[in-house]
Amino acid sequence: MVQRILCEVDNCKYWANGNRCNADVIYVTNQTAEEAVDTDDTGCKTFNPE
Ligand code: SF4
C-alpha cells in the first residue's frame, strides 16, 4: 500500500521538505480520556524531536 503522509511538524526527525513524513509507520493517538471529536484531539506518537 502506498502511503502519503503530510505533516507540518518540521522539528520531527521524520519530517522532510514538502511537509512529507518519512516514517515507515506512524502511530496516532487519542489525546483525550474520551472519544476524540475533532482533529485537535489526536496526535502523532511517532513524533521524535531532532
Ligand atoms: S512522525 Fe509524526 S510528527 Fe513526525 S513527521 Fe511523521 S507525522 Fe509528523
Side-chain angles (χ1 to χ4, degrees):
M1 178 173 70
V2 175
Q3 289 185 323
R4 185 162 180 242
I5 300 167
L6 299 175
C7 177
E8 295 182 347
V9 186
D10 61 1
N11 65 321
C12 176
K13 76 175 191 180
Y14 298 110
W15 185 89
N17 285 336
N19 282 344
R20 290 179 293 111
C21 172
N22 282 336
D24 292 333
V25 172
I26 64 167
Y27 182 21
V28 178
T29 56
N30 182 345
Q31 302 296 295
T32 74
E34 300 176 6
E35 278 194 341
V37 293
D38 63 33
T39 54
D40 288 344
D41 292 341
T42 68
C44 178
K45 196 168 185 176
T46 308
F47 167 72
N48 194 330
E50 285 189 298

